[in-house]
């Protein structure tokens, strides 16, 4: 018989082994062809078990290897296979030689290699498919017409027709002594003869389904040989396969499902199915680990008849880390092609190329003569991403013994410096190396650590790293040059960093070398991109399809396979992960210039074809198993695969059950949605000793009032948020800048009676000076430019609409205005009973208005809400009311500081904030929290600047309010040093966690 139809549940490998052993022949004279290589390992093992002694195995090929064997053995040809990028290069050259064959009939201008490369990839793919589909030349009128519709008009007028490429490309490939997969198969089909197989005792074809037209033709030609036998598995839709096989019905046999290969009764039973639904990937691994728990605890029970199938390759690393990590390496085998794009080595190159893609080249006169480290300016954020990559920051420092510690120190110091230089986002490499702030940081660090290298050695090391990694790629001649520099960089990282110590670096690097060597082809010598980014897109395209195989003995322990690696194999226990519709079958979209209807009409690959192949092999995998576990995720974004739906529906029909949920095991989590209270932090003797010597500021006391636990982390442990690189200034930096400008502006008026007319010209000069001193980029751009304008506008309005008006009103009322201090530092030993507290503060502005001492604090915010003191809500006896009623203790705290210096009762001192961030500034931007709510004046009275409209009753109320707040301050100070009072969040403000940087510490 020529064709044997095998029941879906029967073990193909065992069937073939039994068939071969029953034949009295030398196995080495038998040739077996499978869809891929893996079934060959299983067949050799099965033969070994049946033979019980050494033997010469049959020759076993995958289909591609079989074609290569015929091509070299019988045609005597050894041409190299053309890589995709080499094919695109040939197509590009062809595109430039015959304008009359373009879609428009004439070519307006040449396509650059940058423009051609994306479409060239699709053309090569389509040409291969057309040849594998045995498409004749008479079809190309329609192909040319319809393919052109998917090409943008600007490209189409400069691109040759598909028929031209089809006619000339393969001729050019032949002349250059290359070959492609399709051209090899075409030549084999043209000369194949049944005589080729006469030296063999038997040729076995097994496990194929829905191939290309050329591959079907090859199988049919091989079947013409007398000793060929084709085993067809009876999976879902197997009839379509039989329609393409040219054999007489009399030459077809079908094994009875009730019998095995030797006529004995078969033990094939329907598998036990389990459906597992989880809300996310963690859930399916949680259930998988539970199912495998017993076997993992006894690794000897794991064998090659158990398989974890991964249709989604991104699940591999979680499976390795969460499931396989508990097993010895001998207890499992991984045979999944892991994408190189998911490796740390790819991320290293990609972060470098992203840095280079955003580089700005100086195009000014004479700049072209500058070295690249001065001519190009790099985006700091991308630069930090690159140098802080684990491979870059662990480049060895040139010292003995070799260490990467100094390199890490260098780059983290650079990170800190960049984060402090807000607004300047582009630097040349020379500016980075020559930055005086970096040198100062290194001098300080090496001064504290005398054993470390000198700062000049750090700078030289930095220049060397730039020279080895970044600078070579700023100038690229052609693809060969790009490949050579990429290989050189990989050599450098492999030899001069800790990268080889990282897990799996060696197989990753080996796969990288193989891919990069493709770019050194002689066919690519002349090809170059007009833009630097073109080389990086080529790199990404080249690696997008590249895979690295994990090492492992194929037939040892628990198997971890991709979906397509399970073809023709049978397992007892199958764990199918990620059975979601977006994974299996997936989008099924074919990236081609040929529209889907045309592809279908021509018999080429299309989405329905792929879906049928998946269903066929999935049905065989399930039918041959004893236990099958379907895992799928269901949430707002994912739904179970259509193949799971079909399996569920069959089970429901068989058991006459309408509710599918009866069969679905749902993995769920019990989530406690309440926020736990942070644990109290006791005050140890060491902490109490630190608190006794602490100098407290108003901001520190505010932090304690808001949340004692935050006070502990920030003020006792000294923790703070890491500064982030930002294009715009943060609010604290804007505040510091505005304070400095106002201090310089009012400094000449200290101790003088009254204030002169506002001088906006001098103000602008001072603003320019401050911006220049802070080393912001010049000229200012983007958000910094807008911030500079906004500061200028607001401060001008402050002088004219507030300051000048206050001075005029006081002068009209016969009260002097004298500016006493600007940004004055105060320290105070504050006695409370037997204890003395060290207090400190810096008051922005102190002035005398008539007989009153006034403390003013500038705020760049737009509202006074963070300064409010709501006396009505404050209850001294209720500690929990304090953070809700008091938003800030700053001004009352300042009154305590100033009272000692000026020998005044603190309640007699007036304090207020100046709100500079409002849209419109006037005298109402002055806000005093102790005066009570705004708008509390009796109807008919106009609110005036202090003290012009304050009544005796209002003054008394302000003084009483201060005395209440003073008691709060006193009790808080005593509470801070109370050994019986732990740092507790019991009395924290309701909104204290919103912007707290320490929420992760206490589970909020």
């Amino acid at each position: 018989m020529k064709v044997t139809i095998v029941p879906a549940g029967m073990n193909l490998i065992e069937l073939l082994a039994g068939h071969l052993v029953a034949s009295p022949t030398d196995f080495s004279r038998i040739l077996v062809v499978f869809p891929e290589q893996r079934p060959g390992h299983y067949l050799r093992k099965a033969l070994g078990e049946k033979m019980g002694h050494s033997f010469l195995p049959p020759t076993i090929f995958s289909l591609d290897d079989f074609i290569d064997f015929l091509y070299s053995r019988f045609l005597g040809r050894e041409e190299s296979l053309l890589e995709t990028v080499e094919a695109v290069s040939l197509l590009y050259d062809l595109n430039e030689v015959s304008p009359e064959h373009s879609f428009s009939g004439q070519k307006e201008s040449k396509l650059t290699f940058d423009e051609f490369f994306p479409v060239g990839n699709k053309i090569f793919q389509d040409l291969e498919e057309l040849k594998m589909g045995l498409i004749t030349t008479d079809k190309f009128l329609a192909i040319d017409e319809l393919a052109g519709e998917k090409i943008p008009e600007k490209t189409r007028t400069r691109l040759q027709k598909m028929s031209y490429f089809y006619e000339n490309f393969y001729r050019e490939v032949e002349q250059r002594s290359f070959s492609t997969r399709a051209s090899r198969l075409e030549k084999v089909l043209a000369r194949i003869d049944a005589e080729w197989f006469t030296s063999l005792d038997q040729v076995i074809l097994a496990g194929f389904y829905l191939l290309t037209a050329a591959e079907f033709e090859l199988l049919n030609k091989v079947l013409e040989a007398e000793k060929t036998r084709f085993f067809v598995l009876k999976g879902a839709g197997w009839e379509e396969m039989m329609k393409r096989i040219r054999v007489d019905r009399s030459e077809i046999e079908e094994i009875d499902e009730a019998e095995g290969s030797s006529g004995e009764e078969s033990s094939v039973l329907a598998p036990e199915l389990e459906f597992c639904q989880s809300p996310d990937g963690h859930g399916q691994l949680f259930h998988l680990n539970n199912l495998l728990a017993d076997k993992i605890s006894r690794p000897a029970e794991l064998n090659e008849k158990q398989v974890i199938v991964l249709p989604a390759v991104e699940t591999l690393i979680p499976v390795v880390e969460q499931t396989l990590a508990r097993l010895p390496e001998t207890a499992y085998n991984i045979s999944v092609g892991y994408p190189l794009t998911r490796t740390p080595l790819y991320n290293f190159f990609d972060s470098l190329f992203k840095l280079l893609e955003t580089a700005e080249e100086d195009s000014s006169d004479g700049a072209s003569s500058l070295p690249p480290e001065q001519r190009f300016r790099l985006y700091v954020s991308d630069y930090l991403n690159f140098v802080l990559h684990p491979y870059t920051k662990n480049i060895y420092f040139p010292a003995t013994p070799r260490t990467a510690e100094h390199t890490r120190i260098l780059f983290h110091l650079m990170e800190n410096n960049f984060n402090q230089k807000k607004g300047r986002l582009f630097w040349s490499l020379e500016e980075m190396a020559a930055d005086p702030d970096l040198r100062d940081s290194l001098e300080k660090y090496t001064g504290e650590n005398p054993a470390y290298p000198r700062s000049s050695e750090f700078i030289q090391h930095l220049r060397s790293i730039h020279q080895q990694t970044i600078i070579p790629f700023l100038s690229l001649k052609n693809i060969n040059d790009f490949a050579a520099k990429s290989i050189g960089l990989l050599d450098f990282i492999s030899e001069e960093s800790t990268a080889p110590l990282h897990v799996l670096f060696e197989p990753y690097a080996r796969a990288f070398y193989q891919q990069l060597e493709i770019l050194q082809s002689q066919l690519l010598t002349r090809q170059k991109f007009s833009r630097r980014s073109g080389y990086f897109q080529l790199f990404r395209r080249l690696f997008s399809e590249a895979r690295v195989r994990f090492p492992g003995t194929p037939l040892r322990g628990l198997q971890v396979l991709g979906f397509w690696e399970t073809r023709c194999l049978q397992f007892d226990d199958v764990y199918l992960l990620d059975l979601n519709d977006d994974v299996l079958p997936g989008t099924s979209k074919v990236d081609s210039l040929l529209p889907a209807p045309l592809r279908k009409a021509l018999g080429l690959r299309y989405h329905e074809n792929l879906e049928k192949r998946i269903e066929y092999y999935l049905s065989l995998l399930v039918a041959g198993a004893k236990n099958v576990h379907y895992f799928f995720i269901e949430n707002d974004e994912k739904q179970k695969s259509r193949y799971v739906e079909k399996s569920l529906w069959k089970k429901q029909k068989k058991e006459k059950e309408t509710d599918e949920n009866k069969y679905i095991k749902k993995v769920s989590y019990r989530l406690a949605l309440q926020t736990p209270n942070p644990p109290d932090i006791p005050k140890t003797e060491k902490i109490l000793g630190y608190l006794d010597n602490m100098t407290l500021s108003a901001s520190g006391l505010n932090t304690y009032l808001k949340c004692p636990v935050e006070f502990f982390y920030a003020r006792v442990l000294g923790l703070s948020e890491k500064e982030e690189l930002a294009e715009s200034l943060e609010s604290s930096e804007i505040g510091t800048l505005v304070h400095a400008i106002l201090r310089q502006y009012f400094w000449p008026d200290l101790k003088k009676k009254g204030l002169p007319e506002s001088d906006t010209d001098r103000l602008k000069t001072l603003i320019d000076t401050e911006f220049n001193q802070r080393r912001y980029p010049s000229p200012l751009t983007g958000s910094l430019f807008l911030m500079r304008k906004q500061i200028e506008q607001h401060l001008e309005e402050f002088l004219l609409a507030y300051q000048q008006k206050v001075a005029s009103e006081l002068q009209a009322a016969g009260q002097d205005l004298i500016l006493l201090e600007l940004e004055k530092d105060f320290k105070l030993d504050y006695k409370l009973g037997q204890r003395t507290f060290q207090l400190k503060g810096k008051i922005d502005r102190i002035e005398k208005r008539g007989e009153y001492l006034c403390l003013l604090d500038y705020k760049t915010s737009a509202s006074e809400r963070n300064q409010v003191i709501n006396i009505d809500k404050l209850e001294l006896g209720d500690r929990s009311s304090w953070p809700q009623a008091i938003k800030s203790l700053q001004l009352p705290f300042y009154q305590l500081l100033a009272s000692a210096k000026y020998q005044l009762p603190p309640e007699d001192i007036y304090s207020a904030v100046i709100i500079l961030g409002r849209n419109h500034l006037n005298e109402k931007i002055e806000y005093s929290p102790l005066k009570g709510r705004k708008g509390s004046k009796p109807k008919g009275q106009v609110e005036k600047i202090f003290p012009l409209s304050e009544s005796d009753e209002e003054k008394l109320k302000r003084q009483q309010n201060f005395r209440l707040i003073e008691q709060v301050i006193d009790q808080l100070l005593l509470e801070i040093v109370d050994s019986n009072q732990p740092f507790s969040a019991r009395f924290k403000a309701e909104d204290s966690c919103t912007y707290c940087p320490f929420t992760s510490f206490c589970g909020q």
Side-chain angles (χ1 to χ4, degrees):
M1 293 296 178
K2 284 289 186 182
V3 177
T4 300
I5 299 173
V6 183
M10 189 169 288
N11 191 321
L12 176 65
I13 301 300
E14 288 295 325
L15 176 68
L16 293 178
H19 170 75
L20 294 177
V21 170
S23 304
T25 185
D26 179 1
F27 291 159
S28 64
R29 293 170 57 82
I30 296 174
L31 188 150
V32 183
V33 185
F34 290 113
E36 65 135 22
Q37 294 177 344
R38 190 164 189 80
H41 299 305
Y42 279 79
L43 180 57
R44 280 186 283 267
K45 181 179 181 182
L47 287 172
E49 291 174 348
K50 290 183 181 295
M51 297 291 291
H53 57 77
S54 61
F55 62 95
L56 290 174
T59 302
I60 303 175
F61 289 122
S62 68
L63 181 57
D64 283 344
D65 290 340
F66 179 53
I67 295 169
D68 292 343
F69 166 74
L70 298 178
Y71 187 75
S72 61
R73 173 74 177 272
F74 297 105
L75 301 186
R77 307 189 65 143
E78 299 293 340
E79 297 96 339
S80 298
L81 275 171
L82 202 63
E83 298 289 346
T84 299
V85 65
E86 295 174 313
V88 173
S89 176
L90 280 181
L91 289 167
Y92 177 72
D93 291 341
L94 287 171
N95 189 63
E96 301 306 307
V97 297
S98 299
E100 69 276 7
H101 294 291
S102 69
F103 282 99
S104 63
Q106 57 182 2
K107 288 176 66 183
E108 298 174 357
S109 61
K110 287 187 177 183
L111 283 169
T112 64
F113 195 67
D114 310 57
E115 295 170 318
F116 183 82
F117 186 74
V119 72
N121 278 278
K122 295 180 182 180
I123 291 172
F124 176 58
Q125 172 187 290
D126 288 344
L127 291 178
E128 286 286 275
E129 285 200 75
L130 290 167
K131 189 166 282 290
M132 295 285 276
L134 302 180
I135 305 304
T136 54
T137 54
D138 60 299
K139 302 286 198 312
F140 271 88
L141 181 62
I143 291 172
D144 284 343
E145 186 66 30
L146 294 173
E149 291 180 357
K150 296 191 72 174
I151 303 172
E153 179 65 23
K154 185 177 178 181
T155 302
R156 197 161 65 93
T157 57
R158 298 178 288 167
L159 188 69
Q160 311 288 8
K161 293 179 181 179
M162 290 292 288
S163 56
Y164 168 80
F165 284 124
Y166 192 80
E167 179 183 348
N168 292 278
F169 172 69
Y170 290 102
R171 183 187 305 131
E172 188 72 16
V173 170
E174 176 88 7
Q175 290 175 355
R176 292 176 182 255
S177 298
F178 281 96
S179 62
T180 70
R181 283 282 166 210
S183 69
R184 286 187 174 192
L185 181 51
E186 180 187 48
K187 287 179 171 54
V188 167
L189 289 177
R191 293 183 53 188
I192 191 170
D193 192 301
E195 294 296 317
W196 288 4
F197 307 105
T198 54
S199 63
L200 298 170
D201 289 343
Q202 196 169 175
V203 177
I204 294 175
L205 309 173
F208 294 98
Y209 182 72
L210 292 189
L211 306 170
T212 66
E215 289 167 338
F216 268 123
E217 184 64 20
L218 175 65
L219 295 189
N220 282 310
K221 292 279 189 181
V222 175
L223 275 171
E224 291 175 4
E226 181 181 351
K227 299 174 183 177
T228 301
R229 190 165 179 184
F230 188 13
F231 289 83
V232 177
L233 289 164
K234 200 173 179 180
W238 67 280
E239 299 88 352
E240 291 196 41
M241 183 73 184
M242 296 303 298
K243 293 176 184 177
R244 306 291 296 273
I245 303 299
R246 297 194 300 264
V247 294
D248 190 89
R249 292 182 62 86
S250 63
E251 296 185 290
I252 299 174
E253 67 172 351
E254 182 171 354
I255 298 176
D256 194 308
E257 295 190 20
E259 292 186 0
S261 59
S262 59
E264 298 176 357
E265 188 172 318
S266 174
S267 59
V268 175
L269 298 173
E272 289 292 327
L273 305 181
E274 181 194 69
F275 302 88
C276 174
Q277 173 186 320
S278 61
D280 51 35
H282 300 290
Q284 65 177 355
L285 289 184
F286 174 77
H287 187 56
L288 174 66
N289 292 342
N290 285 339
L291 292 173
L292 292 173
D294 290 341
K295 293 183 177 67
I296 288 176
S297 64
R298 295 187 291 274
E301 294 186 9
L302 294 170
N303 58 64
E304 72 277 6
K305 300 300 288 181
Q306 298 148 352
V307 64
I308 298 174
V309 184
L310 304 179
V313 72
E314 57 266 24
T315 307
L316 174 61
I317 297 303
V319 167
V320 170
E321 293 179 347
Q322 298 181 39
T323 303
L324 304 181
R326 292 174 288 168
L327 292 170
E329 290 187 5
T330 55
Y332 64 88
N333 169 66
I334 299 173
S335 182
V336 177
Y338 192 68
L340 283 178
T341 53
R342 291 183 172 273
T343 64
L345 192 52
Y346 179 86
N347 183 259
F348 167 78
F349 275 93
D350 194 50
S351 64
L352 170 62
F353 296 155
K354 285 179 180 176
L355 167 65
L356 295 163
E357 283 173 328
T358 56
E360 292 183 350
E361 185 173 5
D362 187 350
S363 57
S364 61
D365 293 341
S368 59
S369 62
L370 294 173
E373 57 266 36
Q374 296 179 26
R375 191 167 75 251
F376 291 90
R377 298 169 72 235
L378 306 177
Y379 183 46
V380 172
S381 179
D382 289 338
Y383 176 82
L384 289 176
N385 284 338
F386 172 65
V387 298
L388 295 179
H389 186 281
Y391 292 172
T392 318
K393 71 178 182 180
N394 284 296
I395 292 172
Y396 291 120
F397 195 89
T400 305
R402 295 211 304 180
T403 176
E405 180 185 2
H406 302 326
T407 308
R408 294 194 296 272
I409 291 169
L410 170 64
F411 285 132
H412 283 294
L413 284 176
M414 291 184 71
E415 180 188 25
N416 291 336
N417 278 338
F418 283 134
N419 289 343
Q420 292 169 12
K421 297 174 186 292
K422 304 294 183 181
R424 184 173 181 185
L425 298 182
F426 284 86
W427 292 64
S428 72
L429 294 173
E430 179 59 31
E431 287 172 330
M432 293 178 190
D435 181 21
D437 291 333
L438 174 60
R439 188 172 293 275
D440 291 346
S441 297
L442 288 168
E443 292 283 1
K444 180 181 177 182
Y445 198 88
T446 55
E448 295 171 352
N449 301 274
Y452 280 12
R454 297 189 304 273
S455 62
S456 59
E457 294 176 273
F458 275 101
I459 299 299
Q460 183 57 41
H461 182 50
L462 175 63
R463 294 182 190 275
S464 174
I465 291 174
H466 289 166
Q467 194 65 49
Q468 293 289 344
T469 60
I470 300 173
I471 292 175
F473 294 91
L474 290 171
S475 176
L476 296 168
K477 299 175 184 176
N478 52 43
I479 292 178
N480 284 173
D481 181 45
F482 171 69
K485 288 176 177 176
S486 298
I487 291 172
L489 177 56
L490 184 51
D491 289 341
F492 175 72
I493 288 298
S494 300
E495 297 166 4
E496 299 297 330
S497 81
T498 63
L501 304 179
H502 292 218
V503 176
L504 298 173
F505 176 82
E506 184 180 345
Y508 293 159
R510 191 163 51 246
F512 261 74
Y513 279 120
Q514 291 171 355
Q515 294 299 314
L516 291 172
E517 284 167 1
I518 293 172
L519 300 182
Q520 292 189 308
S521 165
Q522 289 298 313
L523 291 178
L524 300 173
T525 303
R526 296 190 306 107
Q527 303 301 359
K528 60 182 179 180
F529 292 96
S530 59
R531 294 185 299 272
R532 193 185 318 113
S533 61
Y535 296 98
F536 310 143
Q537 292 304 321
L538 168 64
F539 174 89
R540 294 178 182 120
R541 176 78 189 200
L542 180 68
F543 281 84
S544 64
E545 301 297 328
R547 299 287 187 269
V548 59
R549 294 280 175 179
F550 286 86
T553 303
L555 302 180
R556 182 184 62 195
L558 174 66
Q559 301 292 298
V560 181
L561 307 179
F563 175 74
W564 296 108
E565 281 81 7
T566 65
R567 286 178 291 177
C568 303
L569 302 180
Q570 192 174 90
F571 302 92
D572 291 340
D573 299 313
V574 178
Y575 305 91
L576 279 156
L577 273 58
D578 295 302
L579 284 186
N580 288 92
D581 221 47
D582 62 330
V583 175
L584 218 65
T587 58
S588 305
K589 183 179 180 182
V590 179
D591 190 16
S592 167
L593 295 177
L594 308 177
L598 176 61
R599 296 181 64 83
K600 187 173 183 179
L602 294 173
L604 305 181
R605 282 186 309 132
Y606 61 102
H607 64 92
E608 291 178 13
N609 182 287
L610 175 60
E611 290 171 16
K612 288 177 181 177
R613 292 185 71 223
I614 291 171
E615 186 171 12
Y616 176 79
Y617 287 111
L618 179 60
S619 69
L620 292 172
L621 180 64
V622 171
K626 295 178 181 177
N627 301 288
V628 178
H629 305 270
Y630 293 99
F631 293 81
F632 57 91
I633 298 169
E634 281 212 346
N635 53 36
D636 293 340
E637 298 177 353
K638 285 181 171 285
Q639 60 185 12
K640 66 176 79 73
S641 170
R642 63 198 67 181
Y643 306 117
V644 176
E645 295 278 14
K646 284 185 178 181
S647 186
L648 271 169
W649 177 237
K650 286 180 182 178
K651 191 172 181 65
Q652 286 178 257
K653 284 198 300 181
K654 181 179 179 181
E655 300 183 10
K656 296 181 170 56
E657 174 60 53
T658 58
D659 184 10
E660 70 172 26
N661 291 313
K662 177 182 176 181
Y663 305 112
I664 297 176
K665 181 179 180 59
K666 297 185 178 181
V667 176
S668 59
Y669 309 114
R670 293 182 179 179
L671 300 178
L673 297 179
Q674 71 271 17
T675 303
N677 285 322
D680 291 348
I681 301 172
K683 294 172 182 171
T684 64
E685 287 190 16
K686 190 172 182 180
I687 291 175
L688 288 169
Y690 180 82
L691 294 172
D692 285 338
N693 295 303
M694 175 184 280
T695 299
L696 280 164
S697 64
S699 62
L701 199 59
N702 276 339
T703 301
Y704 186 84
L705 172 66
K706 183 172 66 172
C707 178
V709 174
E710 183 181 347
F711 176 87
F712 170 74
Y713 289 128
R715 305 291 171 162
V716 179
L717 297 185
L719 303 177
S720 62
E721 281 188 291
K722 179 182 175 181
E723 282 199 77
E724 298 289 340
L725 185 70
E727 182 176 359
S728 57
L729 299 180
E730 295 180 1
S731 57
S732 59
E733 294 167 306
I734 296 171
T736 301
L737 184 60
V738 168
H739 280 66
I741 294 168
L742 290 177
R743 180 180 183 275
Q744 293 298 322
Y745 180 85
F746 287 113
W747 189 259
D749 303 321
L750 276 177
K751 313 295 194 230
K752 296 178 182 178
K753 188 180 292 186
L755 291 174
E757 289 290 321
S758 297
D759 187 346
T760 55
D761 290 336
R762 188 166 72 88
L763 175 68
K764 291 177 183 178
T765 301
L766 291 172
I767 292 173
D768 289 337
T769 301
E770 279 298 323
F771 269 84
N772 291 335
Q773 287 178 348
R774 293 170 191 275
R775 295 180 182 171
Y776 294 135
S778 181
L780 296 176
T781 58
S783 60
L784 269 179
F785 176 80
L786 295 175
M787 183 56 64
R788 159 77 177 73
K789 287 294 184 184
Q790 193 173 13
I791 289 173
E792 180 183 315
Q793 177 185 333
H794 269 62
L795 292 188
E796 280 188 19
E797 194 173 1
F798 163 73
L799 294 179
L800 299 172
Y802 168 79
Q803 189 60 79
Q804 201 162 292
K805 192 167 184 179
V806 168
S808 299
E809 288 186 8
L810 289 171
Q811 185 178 12
Q815 299 201 32
D816 294 330
L817 172 62
I818 303 175
L819 204 55
L820 300 178
E821 300 286 356
L822 294 171
E823 297 195 15
K824 177 67 176 177
D825 288 315
F826 285 86
K827 290 188 177 180
L828 173 65
D829 290 336
Y830 186 66
K831 296 186 180 297
L832 279 177
Q834 300 299 314
R835 305 208 61 130
T836 300
F837 295 89
Q838 287 80 45
L839 308 183
K840 68 175 182 178
K842 177 181 285 188
I843 302 176
D844 291 344
R845 176 170 168 166
I846 304 174
E847 63 187 32
K848 200 76 178 291
R849 295 180 182 177
E851 62 180 19
Y852 289 96
L853 185 70
C854 301
L855 312 180
L856 301 177
D857 193 76
Y858 301 123
K859 299 294 180 187
T860 52
S861 58
S863 169
E864 69 278 358
R865 64 176 177 271
N866 291 328
Q867 308 300 321
V868 170
I869 297 176
N870 193 331
I871 297 296
D872 295 340
K873 290 185 177 180
L874 179 63
E875 296 182 30
L876 284 178
D878 181 5
R879 174 67 173 81
S880 63
S881 73
W882 298 1
Q884 315 308 330
I886 304 170
K887 296 302 180 184
S888 175
L889 291 166
Q890 181 183 20
L891 293 177
F893 187 90
Y894 284 175
Q895 288 175 236
L896 288 174
L897 293 178
S899 67
K901 175 177 174 59
Y902 292 100
Q903 300 297 304
L904 291 172
E907 64 267 25
D908 287 348
I909 300 174
Y910 170 80
S911 61
V913 291
I914 309 296
I915 308 298
L916 296 172
R918 286 186 182 166
N919 290 332
H920 301 289
L921 306 185
N922 52 40
E923 71 278 7
K924 294 181 180 179
I925 63 173
E926 182 176 308
Y927 170 73
S928 177
L930 293 177
K931 285 179 66 176
R933 293 190 302 270
K934 297 178 74 175
S936 58
K937 279 280 183 186
K939 191 173 183 179
Q941 289 191 24
V942 179
E943 186 85 30
K944 292 185 178 181
I945 199 71
F946 178 85
L948 299 184
S949 63
E950 185 179 57
S951 65
D952 291 341
E953 182 183 351
E954 290 170 331
K955 178 179 179 180
L956 180 62
K957 182 67 174 176
R958 176 167 56 82
Q959 292 171 331
Q960 291 173 343
N961 290 346
F962 172 81
R963 294 188 190 103
L964 276 173
I965 300 303
E966 184 180 22
Q967 292 182 63
V968 171
I969 292 174
D970 291 350
Q971 291 188 46
L972 287 175
L973 291 173
L974 293 171
E975 186 180 297
I976 288 173
V977 297
D978 186 352
S979 60
N980 296 317
Q981 183 69 262
F983 295 108
S984 173
R986 285 178 300 152
F987 302 132
K988 66 182 178 68
E990 291 178 355
D991 60 348
S992 62
C993 295
T994 304
Y995 300 107
C996 175
F998 309 113
T999 51
S1000 58
F1001 291 2
C1002 48
Q1004 298 300 293

